[in-house]
Amino acid sequence: MDKFSSIFMNRAIQLSINSVENGGGPFGSVIVKNNKIISEGSNMVTLKNDPTAHGEIVAIRKACKKLKKFNLDGTELYTSCEPCPMCLSAIYWSHIDIVYYGNSRIDAAQIGFDDNFIYEEFSKNFNYRKIPLKQKMKNESKEAFSLWDKKIDKIKY
């Protein structure tokens, strides 16, 4: 790990410690572009009553706002823990180039943050999941898709 990587990883770890001290969960993240931190995030789930306010998501939102774009290609994410399924999905959607993490998801499970059930749910047939997915009004729902498909000036992502 080079000098810059250690600095960025240490910052993510410090954010996770600060988060615990301030009433949040033990997770912190930084997003880096051209060897400079462009955003930071820590777990705010309980502080904001928002189940999506994980450290990585908070950092992604701030980076997108700062850069004024939704595509974060050319960036790196340093995070104190291996991303959960939601955060990993957001990382893919935002096109972050690489993720460096400290604790593993197994480490997180040992202190009560077990995401394994979500990975297991993804592999199940819709009919056997804890939260059922039921399709309704398929034909009516197609109108927005049709409009999007025909739109000439759409911004693809």
Side-chain angles (χ1 to χ4, degrees), residues 39-136:
S39 71
E40 299 182 340
S42 59
N43 184 282
M44 312 264 318
V45 170
T46 57
L47 298 172
K48 294 199 174 221
N49 293 317
D50 179 353
T52 68
H54 291 199
E56 296 92 335
I57 300 292
V58 171
I60 288 169
R61 288 174 180 160
K62 288 179 179 179
C64 289
K65 186 173 183 176
K66 181 174 184 172
L67 297 176
K68 296 181 170 103
K69 61 185 211 163
F70 56 82
N71 185 321
L72 297 177
D73 60 344
T75 65
E76 303 170 345
L77 178 99
Y78 293 79
T79 185
S80 63
C81 187
E82 181 180 353
C84 74
M86 176 186 67
C87 293
L88 188 57
S89 296
I91 290 163
Y92 275 99
W93 277 114
S94 62
H95 300 279
I96 290 171
D97 290 353
I98 190 166
V99 176
Y100 299 98
Y101 67 92
N103 296 304
S104 71
R105 67 183 185 188
I106 294 166
D107 298 326
Q110 291 173 346
I111 62 164
F113 294 93
D114 190 357
D115 299 326
N116 198 49
F117 78 95
I118 298 172
Y119 289 103
E120 290 173 1
E121 284 287 301
F122 287 163
S123 66
K124 292 179 184 176
N125 177 294
F126 285 173
N127 297 323
Y128 299 103
R129 291 184 180 175
K130 181 179 177 181
I131 300 174
L133 287 155
K134 307 278 186 187
Q135 190 171 28
K136 296 258 188 218

